[in-house]
Amino acid sequence: MKRDLLLSYRRKSDLVNPLIFFLMVATLFPLGVSPDPTFLADVAPGVVWVAALLATLLSMDSMFRSDFEDGTLEQILLSPQPLYLVVLAKVLAHWMLTGLPLTLLAPVLGVMLFLPAEGMGGLVLSLLLGTPTLSLIGAIGAALTVGLRKGGVLISLLVLPLYIPVLIFGSAAVQGAVTGLPLGGYLAILGAMLSLGLVMAPLAIGAALRISVSG
Amino acid sequence: MKRDLLLSYRRKSDLVNPLIFFLMVATLFPLGVSPDPTFLADVAPGVVWVAALLATLLSMDSMFRSDFEDGTLEQILLSPQPLYLVVLAKVLAHWMLTGLPLTLLAPVLGVMLFLPAEGMGGLVLSLLLGTPTLSLIGAIGAALTVGLRKGGVLISLLVLPLYIPVLIFGSAAVQGAVTGLPLGGYLAILGAMLSLGLVMAPLAIGAALRISVSG
Amino acid sequence: MSTPRLKIDNLFCERDERVLFEGLCFEVNAGEVIQIEGQNGSGKTTLLRILSGLSRHFEGDIYWQGEHLDNCAQAYRESLLYFGHQPGVKAVLTPRENLQWYASLHPEMDLTKLDYALVKVGLKGYEDVPCHTLSAGQNRRVSLARLYLSRAPLWILDEPFTAIDKRGVAEKEALITTHAQEGGTVILTTHHELAMGDKIRRLNLDQLAGTL
Amino acid sequence: MSTPRLKIDNLFCERDERVLFEGLCFEVNAGEVIQIEGQNGSGKTTLLRILSGLSRHFEGDIYWQGEHLDNCAQAYRESLLYFGHQPGVKAVLTPRENLQWYASLHPEMDLTKLDYALVKVGLKGYEDVPCHTLSAGQNRRVSLARLYLSRAPLWILDEPFTAIDKRGVAEKEALITTHAQEGGTVILTTHHELAMGDKIRRLNLDQLAGTL
Amino acid sequence: MADKKWMPRWFYQLASPRWCYEITGKLLPLFVIAAILLLVTGTVWALAFAPADYQQGNSFRIIYIHVPSSILAQSCYMLMAVAGAIGLIWKMKVADMVAKCCAPIGASIAVLSLATGAIWGKPTWGSWWVWDARLTSMLILFFLYLGIIALNSAIESERTAAQSTAVLALVGLVNIPIIKYSVDWWNTLHQPATFKLTERPAMPAEMWVPLLVMVIGFYCFFAVAMMLRLRNEIIQRERRSSWVRDLIAG
Amino acid sequence: MSFESFAEFIDMGGHGLYVWLSYAIALVVIVINIVNPLMHKRHIFTEQARRLRREKQS
Ligand code: HEM
Ligand SMILES: Nc1ncnc2c1ncn2[C@@H]1O[C@H](COP(=O)(O)OP(=O)(O)OP(=O)(O)O)[C@@H](O)[C@H]1O
Ligand SMILES: Nc1ncnc2c1ncn2[C@@H]1O[C@H](COP(=O)(O)OP(=O)(O)OP(=O)(O)O)[C@@H](O)[C@H]1O
Ligand SMILES: [Mg+2]
Ligand SMILES: [Mg+2]
């Protein structure tokens, strides 16, 4: 089941786009703010995390929209497969196409923004735990707005408040890693958010989808 | 003609969404990076400009997509009205719904990020000249990708490189205003980019739309 | 059988203060084909979406083989094939991939007949081109190929013949007749003149909604 | 007239290495109705999009009243009404607003008849609800209302009767006949059986493409 | 193709993929030889014989890669835009193909320019990367190449892809003068131009002559890479014409 | 000749790593740009030859 969804999604080859967006957002900062290396090293954890968050957010809107418009979403809701699993598979596929490559690319960004080498581990770990949570939360927003004719920006409105805790702990973890503090606590919180999300979010997404389609 | 388009677009009431996105990006920054006022005052010009840029970018994808999907784009291309004007009107409408309110809201953001009062004038002026250019450039990207089944993130890939100069001069203008340097030069460049965009971009948008629809 | 396949009891639906139907009661048995008739906007699609469980904007009760739909949602979905106004075809995937995807959602489906089904709907040679390069009718044919693969007894078809050419319509009509003869149930809407004549039961929504 | 309204000369079109038509030549005069026939995927939509100037995936020449289309694009667009697979109706706008929007693109249109047109297509009472709450057929009716408002001599209609109920089809057929009698030209495709009988000229793409 | 009789004959011929395939077949060996000769002499000269810079020492020798690649990356972009425009206006197939072939080559050359610049920056400025105007505009050029490649691969129909990328390339053309004049408009870390049409170079001849050799060598290399790709592209698109069939069969 | 010995040539006055790295990257870029189209050409020819054969059969 999961493999099917993944397979079908692979074809979209959207893979590389969020990545390049991620890279670009990160380059916007030194350009717009200040190119001074010590300054950049200071803000790097936050900037990378904000960029990751925005990249996820941007890719979120299209998650269910095309399914809604061409009627495949109806078919998903009418299938005898448990909706929980189908939704989870869809979110997982989304994460593998955005969050995961983003995490893998993050060290490159770190170098570009002069992030000290000690921070790299924390950066990758925190993103690894944080980005799936972002995908899960984002999918709730996407499911809620899919039936509306506007979407697009509305979704960020719904989702961003929920993203903020992830952002705070994620960037705190990286900053901790840079200054040599123990990361365990932050990562544990990120992990807890992820597991909570894994259990609850698919339920919310499923319910939201049913409501949106029934409207 | 223009009024008609504006009218029809007003109904979408998308008005408030890019605004709130704009606000949120700006609040993410102190959260993700550092809430220290002097630090924030330093980065404020850049952050506000990056936020404005991303808000525009986010709203760009939907500019022609729904028109393409429901067939109104075909009707526009088949209308005897000069395409140049129709496209210009559409971009103008887009700007009035995103760029303009964004510009008006920017001082609030400035205050939130402790931007010194001297910078406010420069901020508003630079956004006033810069955001229409962003809309014009973005519309080129939107027109090029409208026929594709992916869009979404591809558009940022195409458009961001062209946004970078606007960003650089825009935030430089604000920084100049903060430090009390004369703004004239920066604003002149922003104005020049805008007029170049006003003349050339509608041509490119029109050509891109014809190509996309014919594909 | 004494309990009907599908029993609709006292269905009421209004949209935007327009009553579409009220006190609608009917039963459908195995082997029956029911055509919902009515002019544009009379509520055919709304009714079919309610019956399929997609829409919940209604009052009244629906029973599937004697059980209330709320209590047997899972079993009902297993025995249902729904074909809506939007055909549910992904434009970036090929016809073959689209059907495989659908089959992964419906494990009881017979995938070995996939190629046969694609030939049957006239898409031979188009199995592996992305659907957005297909014509309007070909896209709907991709979705109709599901009819050849499905083992679900209940088919709910909303204007299945839209954009299909005459030969295609005749073939699909034959398929529907066969399905009914084998004990299946079909509820469909169409504005085409069906050649099945009297083998079909008609239900006119116009009279119910008083739009005529 | 000695010069035909529309002259198609040696048209060639291939998509994905499939030749759809080749050496296609025909002329259309004022007062004529031409129905393009062919099975699904035979190239009807492609041909109509080429004729309307939307698609440029072709080789060959098209002349409008004796002039090459490249040289009189503006005049051609003024005299053309195109109705495609997508009806060109904005879901967030109301039927009235949709038509007003269309009229703003076509300044020669007669807006005083707007209410009359909406009544004619059976949308009385729905003038001011957003189109996404309308049924499939009602949405297409909104777009068809343009036929009552337009003064363009050339109509290109791609399956105008999709999702329209029987009474609607009959009315639209009558409208098309009237338009032709008044000196207009209609090029259309449809899989419906038209009642106009012999007043219509048919052009079958299947034979051209060799798909039959 | 109805009323274009005013165009010179070679323009017509150039528009014929077959003629283009044959002529590049003849030109290719010439350019291969020229490229090898120039690049080898240039490299040996640059690495072993040119004098070291009195300020930068031997790291200066990077210039012999850096400057040719920087210049070439921009020229390649301009060629792409011009070819794209020709393809748009005159619907010339070969121009579309040239434009398409430019993008990957140009992107790789831009990478080379960026990489050598970054490597050079480490010993001279003390950091791999600074956000200066020329560096940034060069990075934008690279991003533009990436955007064009992405757009091209996202569109299935060859004609549509060619036209769309042509529009994008033309729009991106505004970046070229920015790269060129960024060093004059803003006072930056980066060196101003070495070669100007109006003046003699400020460097001693032993330094700039090998540079010139390398620049010309890079152009010849570009011609080779271009022709190789173009010939592939021609075969790919003309695969159903009889002459390509014969070519492949025989 | 601006170098006395081969070792000095390799060292490049302490900047050896940078200089040689640059030239190596240049070489890689050049080679890629030559090899890639050549391999692609082989691919196209075999592909098209197979297609021709298939067409002849049917
Ligand atoms: C990643 C960093 C760099 C980039 C992207 C870059 C880019 C460029 C570009 C675009 C040119 C213009 C060629 C032309 O159009 O004439 C150029 C030329 C040049 N660069 Fe760099 N450069 C970088 C770093 C450096 C460094 C570190 C140095 C030496 C300190 C340097 C020295 C030169 C010199 C001497 C020229 C020749 C000037 C001319 O002829 O115009 N560059 N570079
Ligand atoms: N964008 C495209 N790219 C490649 N092939 C296409 C494209 N659009 C259409 N085709 C092909 O052209 C053929 C004709 O399509 P067209 O839409 O004209 O058919 P049609 O006659 O209108 O069919 P229908 O009755 O189903 O509407 C189809 O076989 C289709 O595969
Ligand atoms: N989301 C909605 N909100 C409000 N009203 C709706 C909504 N969807 C449908 N309606 C109304 O319900 C009525 C019935 O619509 P429905 O789509 O069921 O018609 P239909 O019989 O299928 O027509 P058609 O033959 O055109 O497909 C219409 O008058 C429409 O205005
Ligand atoms: Mg309906
Ligand atoms: Mg069609």
Side-chain angles (χ1 to χ4, degrees), chain E residues 56 63 66-67 70-71 74 113-122 124-125 128-129 134-136 138-139 179-180 189-195 203 211:
Chain E
Q56 301 179 1
I63 198 176
H66 174 69
V67 171
S70 306
I71 295 177
Q74 297 169 66
S113 160
L114 287 167
T116 51
I119 292 170
W120 199 358
K122 189 67 188 168
T124 34
W125 304 333
W128 299 102
W129 185 259
R134 173 163 269 184
L135 274 58
T136 308
M138 194 66 201
L139 190 64
I179 301 183
K180 187 80 208 156
L189 276 173
H190 198 280
Q191 252 89 345
T194 325
F195 295 116
M203 290 185 218
L211 184 56

Side-chain angles (χ1 to χ4, degrees), chain A residues 33-52:
Chain A
V33 185
S34 148
D36 173 37
T38 58
F39 165 80
L40 282 176
D42 270 0
V43 300
V47 171
V48 175
W49 254 94
V50 170

Side-chain angles (χ1 to χ4, degrees), chain B residues 207 211, chain E residues 83-92 95-96 162-164 166-167 170:
Chain B
I211 294 166
Chain E
I86 293 175
L88 260 189
I89 298 165
W90 288 294
K91 307 206 161 52
M92 202 158 108
D96 284 347
Q163 292 175 335
S164 295
V167 170
L170 284 172

Side-chain angles (χ1 to χ4, degrees), chain C residues 39-46 48 85 158-159 189 191, chain D residues 135-138 163:
Chain C
Q39 60 178 43
N40 289 139
S42 57
K44 303 181 294 299
T45 300
T46 311
L48 294 194
H85 270 303
D158 197 357
E159 304 201 20
T189 70
H191 297 299
Chain D
S135 80
Q138 286 172 323

